[in-house]
Amino acid sequence: MTMPADLETDAVRLREAMAKALAEDDVLADPAWRQAVGAVPRHRFVPGFYLPADERDEQGLTVWEPVTADLDYGRWLTAAYSNTTLITQFDSDEPNWKQPTVRHGGAPTSSSTLPSLVVQMWTDADIQEGHTILEIGTGTGYSTALACERLGSADVTSIEVDPHRLGQAASALYGCGYTPTLAVADGMYGYWPEARFDRIVAACSFRAVPTALLAQARPGAKILLTLSGWLYGYARVLLTVAGDGTAEGQLLPGTVSFMSARTHAAPAFGNPAHWAADLPEIPRAARHSPERITTATEEAFHLRFLAQSAVPDAQMTHVGDVLHLVDVVTGSAATLTPDSDSDGWTVRESGPMRLWERIEEVLDTYDGAGQPGPETFTLHVYDGGQHLRHPHMPGLPLPRP
C-alpha cells in the first residue's frame, strides 16, 4: 500500500494530542519527556499489531484482530497514538503482516507498551542527562527511541532476545535517525561490552533479580525491574546498587505487569485433572477464599505476588468453578472448590508442599501486619539470596535467578 500523502501531517496531529492528554494526566510533568513523546513517531515502530475484539469467541478465548495501514488506515494510525499497549507477537511466532489473520487466544510475547507506562518507567528510574543506560527488552524500539530522544543515542544500549524483533526495531530506529547500541542478548545476563551502567531498566519481568545486572551497574546506580512469578503476581522494585555488589530498594506502588523474560516463563504442567486424581477424597475447610488473590483488584494483585513468594513454583488455573494449584518442581497439587453449604471453600492438597496452606500462612501474616501495601516492603539482594522484608512480616525469599 502507498501511504496517504498526509500521513505525516496526521501523525503529528495525533502525536501532539497524545502528548497533551498524557500531560493532563500528570504523566509528562518533565518537559523533556513531553518533548520526546511529541517528537518520536510511534507509527514507524508499529506497522502491524493486534487489538482485542469487543467480545470473546464461543470457547471464551480473546479474539485478536490484526490492525495495519492496509486493513484500516484510520484505525491503525489512531491506535498507534493512543495510550494503549499494542500486541505485536504471540507465542514467539512472528505474524505475516502482509496477510495477517484473526487470532483466537494465545500468549502475547512482544508488544509496544503503552506510552504512559514507558515514560513512567524512565521517570521512576530517575533518568538524567549524562547517564548511561541499559534497556532490557527492545521490543518494537519505541521506548528505546524515547530514551534516545531524551539522552542522545550514544548513552543508550538496548538488548532483545528475539533477533527478528531486534532487526525490525533497528530498522525503525535507524530510519528515524536514532543510533543506540543494539544487541541480541538475554536480559538475564545483561550486556558486558557496554557495562558499567548508571541505570538499568527492564521492559520484561523476572522471577528474581538477575545478579549479572548488579555486577554491570556502577556503585550508586539504580535498577528498575518488574518481578513476577508463575502465579502471575507482579511487583516493581527500584534497587540502588552498593559498592560491595549488594542492592536494596522498595517496591513501588501501583499495578504493572510485563511479559516474562523467556527463560523465566512458566513451564507446561499438563492436564489439571491428572494432578487432582491423587488428592485426598476428604477436603478441609479453607481459611481464606482464593478470591483474595484472584479478583481484579489492586490488593489481590499485591497479595498474589506475596503468595507466590511462598510457593514460587506453583501455577494456578481454573476449570469451571474449581481452582487448581500445580507445582511441577515438587509434585505438589491442590484444588479449591466452592462449598455451597457454608458459602466458603474447601481444599484438597497433597505432595511435599501444602500449597494452599502456605498461601494461607502468608495471608494470615499479612492480615496480622495490618495489610501493608507494596511500598512498605524492601527487597534485599546479597550474595546467597534475595529476600523481601517488612517490619511486621517474616522475610519472603525469591527463587534463585
Side-chain angles (χ1 to χ4, degrees):
M1 173 183 175
T2 301
M3 290 294 182
D6 55 356
L7 168 60
E8 293 306 322
T9 300
D10 292 341
V12 169
R13 173 177 53 81
L14 291 169
R15 190 156 62 244
E16 181 54 36
M18 181 177 74
K20 180 181 179 182
L22 294 177
E24 290 173 349
D25 290 339
D26 294 327
V27 175
L28 299 178
D30 184 340
W33 286 118
R34 167 73 185 262
Q35 185 278 329
V37 171
V40 176
R42 192 187 188 203
H43 71 278
R44 299 276 294 273
F45 296 88
V46 286
F49 49 85
Y50 283 91
L51 293 175
D54 292 335
E55 296 183 0
R56 294 176 177 265
D57 66 12
E58 57 273 14
Q59 278 81 42
L61 299 174
T62 300
V63 178
W64 295 96
E65 299 174 340
V67 181
T68 66
D70 282 338
L71 293 172
D72 189 332
Y73 168 77
R75 187 186 188 195
W76 166 72
L77 194 60
T78 300
Y81 289 106
S82 65
N83 190 31
T84 304
T85 293
L86 307 174
I87 305 300
T88 54
Q89 188 190 75
F90 289 88
D91 303 315
S92 302
D93 293 329
E94 193 63 29
N96 176 9
W97 290 114
K98 292 182 179 179
Q99 294 180 311
T101 58
V102 173
R103 294 188 60 100
H104 293 254
T109 48
S110 190
S111 68
S112 176
T113 303
L114 66 162
S116 63
L117 179 53
V118 172
V119 174
Q120 188 65 55
M121 293 288 286
W122 290 132
T123 301
D124 287 343
D126 190 25
I127 301 294
Q128 301 292 336
E129 285 81 359
H131 283 162
T132 55
I133 69 169
L134 171 64
E135 177 190 39
I136 298 172
T138 313
T140 65
Y142 175 68
S143 61
T144 316
L146 289 175
C148 290
E149 185 69 33
R150 176 73 166 80
L151 300 175
S153 298
D155 289 329
V156 178
T157 298
S158 186
I159 61 175
E160 168 63 48
V161 73
D162 185 323
H164 187 81
R165 285 277 94 204
L166 188 71
Q168 290 194 329
S171 295
L173 285 161
Y174 299 153
C176 292
Y178 303 116
T179 56
T181 298
L182 301 174
V184 176
D186 188 332
M188 278 287 296
Y189 306 103
Y191 197 62
W192 281 103
E194 295 295 319
R196 296 185 172 186
F197 300 101
D198 296 300
R199 297 290 186 269
I200 299 175
V201 177
C204 59
S205 63
F206 297 96
R207 298 182 73 203
V209 179
T211 52
L213 302 185
L214 273 61
Q216 293 176 30
R218 292 190 176 99
K222 295 183 185 296
I223 300 175
L224 181 62
L225 297 176
T226 300
L227 300 172
S228 65
W230 294 348
L231 290 183
Y232 297 102
Y234 295 86
R236 287 194 309 151
V237 63
L238 181 62
L239 296 166
T240 299
V241 179
D244 60 0
T246 63
E248 69 174 65
Q250 288 183 308
L251 300 188
L252 301 181
T255 56
V256 171
S257 62
F258 277 103
M259 298 169 193
S260 295
R262 298 191 185 183
T263 49
H264 278 197
F269 57 79
N271 187 337
H274 296 167
W275 290 84
D278 294 329
L279 295 178
E281 292 186 9
I282 300 175
R284 68 170 176 85
R287 297 200 310 275
H288 294 275
S289 164
E291 292 167 339
R292 291 199 66 184
I293 66 170
T294 60
T295 53
T297 65
E298 192 165 315
E299 183 182 50
F301 204 78
H302 172 48
L303 277 175
R304 197 181 314 169
F305 176 74
L306 299 181
Q308 77 189 9
S309 299
V311 289
D313 300 317
Q315 298 181 64
M316 178 171 61
T317 187
H318 280 92
V319 179
D321 292 333
V322 178
L323 177 70
H324 292 259
L325 291 169
V326 172
D327 183 333
V328 299
V329 176
T330 67
S332 304
T335 62
L336 288 108
T337 306
D339 184 359
S340 57
D341 294 333
S342 66
D343 292 328
W345 291 73
T346 60
V347 58
R348 297 185 300 142
E349 51 191 340
S350 68
M353 183 183 293
R354 295 297 189 261
L355 299 176
W356 189 248
E357 185 175 325
R358 285 208 174 186
I359 292 175
E360 287 179 320
E361 290 171 357
V362 171
L363 295 176
D364 287 341
T365 306
Y366 170 79
D367 291 340
Q371 302 181 344
E375 63 279 4
T376 64
F377 288 82
T378 301
L379 180 65
H380 298 261
V381 183
Y382 52 92
D383 184 25
Q386 303 183 22
H387 275 77
L388 192 65
R389 295 196 171 103
H390 184 276
H392 304 299
M393 292 183 66
L396 291 168
L398 270 62
R400 295 196 66 84

